[in-house]
Amino acid sequence: MIGEEHAPSQGSDDHKSPLLLPVHVETEGTRGTPFSIKSILTLQFFYVILGPLLSILICFFVNFDDAPATSQKMLGVIAWVFTWWVTQAVPLPVTSMCPLFLFPLFGISSSDTVAHSYMDDVITLVLGSFVLALAVERYNVHRRLALNVLLVFCGDPVNPALLLLGLCGTIFFVSMWLHNVATAVMMMPVATGIVQRFPATGEQSEAVNKFCRAVILTVVYATPIGGMSTLTGTGVNLIIIGMWKSLVANGKPVSFSNWFFFGFPAAVLLLLCFWCIICFLYVPKGSGRALSAYLDKTHLKRDLEALGPMAFAEKMVLSLFGLLILLWMTRTITDDIPGWGALFNGLLDDGSVSVMVAVLLFIIPNMKQEGEKLMSWNECKKLPWNLILLLGAGFAIADGVQTSGLADVLSRALDFLQNVPYLVIVPAVCLICSIITEFITSNDATATLLVPLLYHIAKIMHVHPLLLMVPGGMATEFAFWLPTSTPSNVVGFATGHIEIKDMLKVGVPLKVAGIFVLSILMPTLGAIVFGTNSDTQELTWVKTNFRLLGN
């Protein structure tokens, strides 16, 4: 190799300064592209300059009456950051760091103030839960769980609808605790393992072909549905709660258990809707007989036996996983029944608990090699720093909108929504949010863009902000139509077993079902769980809206 020919040997007595980088000999094939104006004037370059250009135009030509100058500058910063997010002019995590210099540069807030948004309790919640998720992935706990559940639901003879329900439930459960992308990546091999038991695509009967499509679609759709149910299931949930905490400093915090008591029933209802849709479209009558020749409990038992008995490390990871869930669920129970968090005067939050349990992973040995722990820091290189930076940027922008006076400007601009009934606007909000996430940008970025706006719309309508923030934010997870809408869709589409028409056949009715579930559950169950019906005005408003719906 060229680099090795020019490197000094280790045994050399040459006392010259060592070469820190290998000497590079330029060859004909490695010369750079010559500079030209054409190489710069690209669509990507236009997107890069579009952000600051819009910001400058807003700062010079937009004027808000009776509003501080900082509100105008804040709108300019939002235009810059959101333009780069939507166009992907620079990588999303890099754009997410821009508020760290834009806020001080525009005189909106100090560097120290904006930096605090990037290490919020919600951020620590993400860090701790993802470290535990990486431990689950490292010791293959998810695969053992999947095979055990499939054994229960397989049936003898094979019942395709029941098997799909078991697969749905397994993926749903895993996605409750792991990020959607990680769940899709980890569970897709389980799905493709089932599909590979059948003949090649060209040799399959219609019943077998439909079932194979259904198995892959189950991973694609059960993953985001499961993520809805817990606070850490997906980044969108964390963004909603983080925005709530940032926008309403004195508001009642939303705990892990609060979210679970609303998100879990909503997700279960949507999962059942999905299961009915997938069985109606892809499990024709008599398909069980066609599948029995290729799929039975013997095959699943063989795969489970290949994993061997549970090792100490797997048992410890599962135990810590269970401990974390238990601590999350019992930190606060109800207003009348305080959880264990009351022992610490409310100083410990869900983020502190998740970090505490994650630290145990670096202390407890895995009993495989001497001195080796359950987790090492090298494994943590996979942590989702892009999500962490996006969360921080969203919290910084939400805080900037409040402190700059832009929130008051938005409130005046949205006055026309004051008399619109809630039960009319919430389905429209859910539909708009779910469509934007299909075509424009990622779920997390869409939620970061829209959730603060939903907060201000709710204030104009004189309703509790969570009544719009929660359903609108959760609807950004309904990216069900296109392969490129979300990474879990890409993972399923990349297998080659499904086509866009399959996603549309399932995604269109599923999106409608999701919007219906959120529109009905939020003003009923959500009002109880999140305490939005605590005052007389809001309770009267809910009754009035349901009376209008009845008429």
Side-chain angles (χ1 to χ4, degrees), residues 142-143 146 167 171 180-196 212-221 223 487-498:
H142 61 288
R143 182 170 174 79
L167 190 60
I171 297 163
N180 288 354
V181 179
T183 302
V185 170
M186 291 191 295
M187 297 306 296
M188 194 56 75
V190 177
T192 53
I194 295 173
V195 171
Q196 287 167 2
C212 290
R213 291 172 185 265
V215 169
I216 302 299
L217 288 167
T218 298
V219 179
V220 170
Y221 292 114
T223 295
S488 58
N489 292 10
V490 175
V491 171
F493 194 76
T495 63
H497 292 287
I498 59 173

Side-chain angles (χ1 to χ4, degrees), residues 116-164:
H116 285 168
S117 300
Y118 286 79
M119 192 42 72
D120 185 88
D121 180 68
V122 176
I123 305 291
T124 61
L125 182 65
V126 173
L127 285 170
S129 60
F130 264 93
V131 170
L132 195 60
L134 290 173
V136 169
E137 181 182 354
R138 182 182 185 185
Y139 294 105
N140 227 11
V141 176
H142 61 288
R143 182 170 174 79
R144 187 182 296 275
L145 172 68
L147 288 170
N148 274 295
V149 172
L150 287 175
L151 270 172
V152 173
F153 285 94
C154 185
D156 195 10
V158 176
N159 185 331
L162 192 63
L163 181 55
L164 287 175

Side-chain angles (χ1 to χ4, degrees), residues 468-483:
L468 277 186
M469 292 171 69
V470 171
M474 291 178 77
T476 63
E477 299 175 57
F478 298 164
F480 298 149
W481 290 354
L482 302 174

Side-chain angles (χ1 to χ4, degrees), residues 61 75 184 209 232 533:
F61 297 106
L75 185 61
N209 183 264
T232 55
N533 60 352

Side-chain angles (χ1 to χ4, degrees), residues 420-441:
V420 178
Y422 172 80
L423 293 175
V424 172
I425 200 169
V426 71
V429 163
C430 290
L431 180 63
I432 292 167
C433 292
S434 65
I435 289 176
I436 288 174
T437 198
E438 295 278 5
F439 299 102
I440 298 178
T441 186

Side-chain angles (χ1 to χ4, degrees), residues 1-155:
M1 292 176 63
I2 294 172
E4 291 174 346
E5 290 173 359
H6 289 267
S9 62
Q10 290 181 343
S12 172
D13 293 326
D14 188 2
H15 296 289
K16 293 180 181 180
S17 298
L19 292 173
L20 298 179
L21 294 172
V23 176
H24 177 70
V25 179
E26 189 177 282
T27 61
E28 188 174 348
T30 61
R31 289 195 182 98
T33 305
F35 173 80
S36 69
I37 298 296
K38 188 177 178 180
S39 66
I40 295 178
L41 298 178
T42 61
L43 186 61
Q44 189 76 4
F45 178 73
F46 171 73
Y47 289 151
V48 169
I49 63 171
L50 181 61
L53 181 62
L54 287 175
S55 183
I56 292 169
L57 290 174
I58 288 170
C59 289
F60 277 100
F61 297 106
V62 175
N63 185 30
F64 298 128
D65 296 330
D66 302 323
T70 49
S71 62
Q72 179 183 342
K73 294 176 181 178
M74 186 64 212
L75 185 61
V77 169
I78 290 174
W80 184 333
V81 174
F82 285 4
T83 299
W84 279 8
W85 266 341
V86 171
T87 61
Q88 306 262 334
V90 295
L92 189 142
V94 177
T95 304
S96 300
M97 292 190 289
C98 289
L100 289 166
F101 72 86
L102 289 177
F103 277 43
L105 194 66
F106 281 70
I108 297 166
S109 61
S110 67
S111 300
D112 189 51
T113 302
V114 69
H116 285 168
S117 300
Y118 286 79
M119 192 42 72
D120 185 88
D121 180 68
V122 176
I123 305 291
T124 61
L125 182 65
V126 173
L127 285 170
S129 60
F130 264 93
V131 170
L132 195 60
L134 290 173
V136 169
E137 181 182 354
R138 182 182 185 185
Y139 294 105
N140 227 11
V141 176
H142 61 288
R143 182 170 174 79
R144 187 182 296 275
L145 172 68
L147 288 170
N148 274 295
V149 172
L150 287 175
L151 270 172
V152 173
F153 285 94
C154 185

Side-chain angles (χ1 to χ4, degrees), residues 502-513:
D502 294 304
M503 300 191 71
L504 289 172
K505 279 167 65 177
V506 176
V508 170
L510 187 59
K511 191 186 288 282
V512 172

